Amino acid sequence: MNDKRALRSRLLADRRRRAVGDGAADASRDAARRLARLLELPELPGDRTTPRAAPTGAAGAPDDAAPGAAPTVAAYASFGTEPDTFALLDALAARGTRVLLPVLLPDLDLDWARYEGRERLVSGDAGMVRPDGPTLGREAVLGCAAVVVPGLAVDERGVRLGRGGGSYDRVLERLAEQRRRGGRHVPVIVLLHEGEVLERVPAEPHDRPVDIAVTPSAVHRFPRPAEAEAEAPDVDAPADVQAPAAEAGPAGAAG
Ligand SMILES: Nc1nc2c(c(=O)[nH]1)N(C=O)[C@@H](CNc1ccc(C(=O)N[C@@H](CCC(=O)O)C(=O)O)cc1)CN2
Ligand SMILES: Nc1ncnc2c1ncn2[C@@H]1O[C@H](COP(=O)(O)OP(=O)(O)OP(=O)(O)O)[C@@H](O)[C@H]1O
């Protein structure tokens, strides 16, 4: 917990330094490289070759109303020193992908609303923006083809460090629960600056790993042994490993 706090402030300070030190040209070059890698990921749906091309034989606009017609991706609207996501949001929309953005709830859990262009974003809480349209419920994320999440760092296991509200911990847990019930696996992709893929990030029992991290220079994939187990349920996996109980410390020593 305190380990996380210390690492968070170091990473945020690095981000502020980078924003000041690097010019706008560096930032936009990095953003373009990151975006190019992202848009090539097979996990992100949409037509990569001919944006907005009408299907053969179909006249007019894509059939938005047909159930399941438009693949959906949940992402976020970047702010401050986060890797910029606006070009991603517009690129996804341009290739026919429906995009959801988070709406922060009073308990710091996340609801979702559809991204319908920058001009339809309004000020939300904590310096962020949100779509002005109706919210779709916390579970809306479960139907997405992929989820793009913010983070400050990720480690070689895919363990992600966030801002500390636990918002995305809850989203990742919701997705993991769907998977445990035999539902679809929704790949989770975190966007980072260069140097934010670390050897180790402090992990707590509630942390769920992400699948992919994208930086300007690389795509990192974090394969999960559990995925193989899910296909073959008879493997000898420990069902319910208990961590050794921590010794009650001397904190409240009897006097
Ligand atoms: N772009 C983005 N959207 C997001 C998140 C995020 O990390 N980034 N979230 C991740 O969970 C959720 C919101 N959680 C948040 C938790 C804390 C702060 C925060 O530290 N706000 C500062 C103001 C920041 C600024 O203005 O630069 C503050 O309140 O002091 C923001 C969002 C959902 N949407
Ligand atoms: N599934 C959950 N349901 C409710 N609260 C949770 C859940 N997971 C984590 N939390 C709480 O959220 C708080 C922050 O957790 P943590 O420090 O791991 O945040 P983070 O992953 O860095 O942030 P975020 O998820 O907002 O990006 C902790 O107090 C934790 O107990």
Side-chain angles (χ1 to χ4, degrees):
M1 188 62 189
N2 280 327
D3 292 355
K4 283 193 177 180
R5 200 176 304 162
L7 183 56
R8 247 180 227 123
S9 43
R10 175 166 83 70
L11 289 161
L12 283 167
D14 287 349
R15 283 190 173 185
R16 285 191 293 271
R17 255 194 305 278
R18 178 199 309 270
V20 174
D22 296 357
D26 280 356
S28 78
R29 186 207 56 207
D30 278 358
R33 293 168 69 213
R34 193 188 296 105
L35 179 65
R37 291 183 196 287
L38 262 165
L39 292 175
E40 288 299 317
L41 292 178
E43 283 81 0
L44 287 186
D47 187 339
R48 281 160 186 75
T49 50
T50 48
R52 285 272 144 188
T56 327
D63 189 4
D64 228 29
T72 306
V73 167
Y76 63 98
S78 57
F79 71 91
T81 57
E82 291 178 333
D84 180 83
T85 61
F86 284 91
L88 171 68
L89 303 181
D90 291 334
L92 288 173
R95 69 187 198 187
T97 301
R98 186 176 298 190
V99 179
L100 305 186
L101 295 180
V103 175
L104 193 61
L105 294 170
D107 66 357
L108 302 186
D109 200 349
L110 301 181
D111 202 332
W112 302 90
R114 195 166 164 186
Y115 175 65
E116 307 204 72
R118 300 181 193 200
E119 65 288 350
R120 299 280 306 273
L121 296 174
V122 295
S123 298
D125 292 314
M128 293 174 314
V129 293
R130 51 157 291 181
D132 66 1
T135 52
L136 306 170
R138 302 172 202 227
E139 312 271 304
V141 70
L142 297 176
C144 290
V147 183
V148 178
V149 306
L152 296 175
V154 73
D155 74 13
E156 290 166 351
R157 304 166 293 179
V159 174
R160 163 189 165 280
L161 181 72
R163 282 182 185 273
S167 303
Y168 279 97
D169 288 328
R170 279 173 266 190
V171 172
L172 266 52
E173 174 54 28
R174 198 162 279 142
L175 295 170
E177 172 65 14
Q178 164 163 280
R179 186 79 200 283
R180 284 196 297 272
R181 290 174 178 217
R184 230 159 31 86
H185 172 63
V186 179
V188 176
I189 304 161
V190 63
L191 304 190
L192 298 172
H193 292 294
E194 210 59 65
E196 293 177 340
V197 179
L198 308 176
E199 208 172 294
R200 274 293 181 271
V201 156
E204 294 178 86
H206 64 250
D207 287 312
R208 301 280 169 267
V210 302
D211 299 279
I212 298 172
V214 181
T215 70
S217 71
V219 171
H220 301 258
R221 288 179 173 274
F222 310 106
R224 273 183 252 179
E227 289 184 13
E229 283 164 26
E231 312 298 334
D234 56 333
V235 293
D236 191 22
D240 194 16
V241 180
Q242 288 281 101
E247 286 291 325

